[in-house]
Amino acid sequence: MKILLLGGSSFLGRAFASEALARGHEVTTFNRGRTAADLPGVEAVRGDRDSADDLARTAEGRQWDAVVDTSAQQPAQAAHSARLLRDRAGHYALISSVHAFADWPARVVDEASPLHECPADTPPGQEFSAALKAGCERAVLEHFGAGRTSVLNSGLLIGPHEQGGRLPWWLERMARGGRVLAPGEPGRPMQLIDVRDFAVFGLDLLTAGTAGRFITTAPPGRLTYGEFLAGCAEAAGGGGAELVWVPDGRLTAEGPDRVQPWSELPLWMPDGPEAAGIWRADTGRAEAAGLRCRPFAETARDTWEWLRQRGPANDTEPDGRKRGRVLHGIEPGKERRLLDAPAPLG
């Protein structure tokens, strides 16, 4: 197949490019070339998808069997790409998110769940919001057609080359050893999908020409938070990490050491009605279409090996916390204070 990747150089796009090349496909990547280097073997085309001319110049006189769009953030971007490529490609795979569903994370969602209200013709330049993913979906379906479009609503992606800093932070924290603050309950379920498994499934759909919507994450019930942290400790090895479980109530109590869910202790969300469905998305349709997920231990091991080869990142604080829009990871002094605090009476 001839595949056009909109994105294609970092994390998810890289996983798609790597898997497609391994299968013998011809891969063209279209991106600005700012995030990471393109993989050897792809045809790398530089351009900005917000420019009406850049993608048109790339597409002129060319045909592809499929488009994989890993980078659409604005409905206007998706609309322009789908409109331009509908006569130049056979299939459009849009990588969306469970964030597109209006009921997520408060309720369990499936492919029939309602989307956020965001029209396909939303003007460009909107501030980030979960609703924009729903608008991107509507734009592609409107301009490319439902019969030739697959929409993959991604759950939380992990694995080698991860940029979000969640799994890498936990691995590096385990490697430092000592007492490690383990938040909440060890039996709390999680849904995490290795980015490589996501790419395999997406390309399988392209090969079969399968259209439709698929919630694409690990099936519920495969992993608990306790197993996740134990797997991180095992993969990072040798640090002598000791997990100390601290109840949600102590972490969310008002005061200077109140912990910010999700960011200070990555992937931790205390129980509550607003997040009752966060790790329970229905993956039955994707499983029936062939989705398979590797054991978390393999993902943790491979991600740790990548981190060791990469060395210290240039976008982290000295204590390992990742800089960016959200600072991932708890400050070590705060972690120690929470671990040393006496348990409440009663």
Side-chain angles (χ1 to χ4, degrees), residues 75-135:
Q77 295 173 331
H80 173 64
S81 302
R83 188 167 51 243
L84 179 67
L85 296 169
R86 62 189 173 194
D87 295 325
R88 300 181 184 277
H91 192 101
Y92 200 114
L94 175 68
I95 312 307
S96 185
S97 168
V98 290
H99 286 281
F101 295 110
D103 291 339
W104 190 88
R107 296 184 178 90
V108 175
V109 294
D110 61 21
E111 285 79 5
S113 296
L115 301 176
H116 283 289
E117 294 295 333
C118 181
D121 60 355
T122 298
Q126 302 296 311
E127 291 189 14
F128 173 81
S129 74
L132 292 175
K133 284 295 187 181

Side-chain angles (χ1 to χ4, degrees), residues 206-226:
L206 289 185
T207 302
T210 304
R213 178 188 302 281
F214 299 87
I215 293 178
T216 310
T217 189
R222 282 175 54 95
L223 184 69
T224 67
Y225 212 114

Side-chain angles (χ1 to χ4, degrees), residues 49-67:
R49 66 179 303 163
D50 287 325
S51 166
D53 295 332
D54 284 3
L55 187 56
R57 187 166 50 249
T58 300
E60 185 175 359
R62 303 189 64 173
Q63 296 286 138
W64 291 275
D65 296 298
V67 179

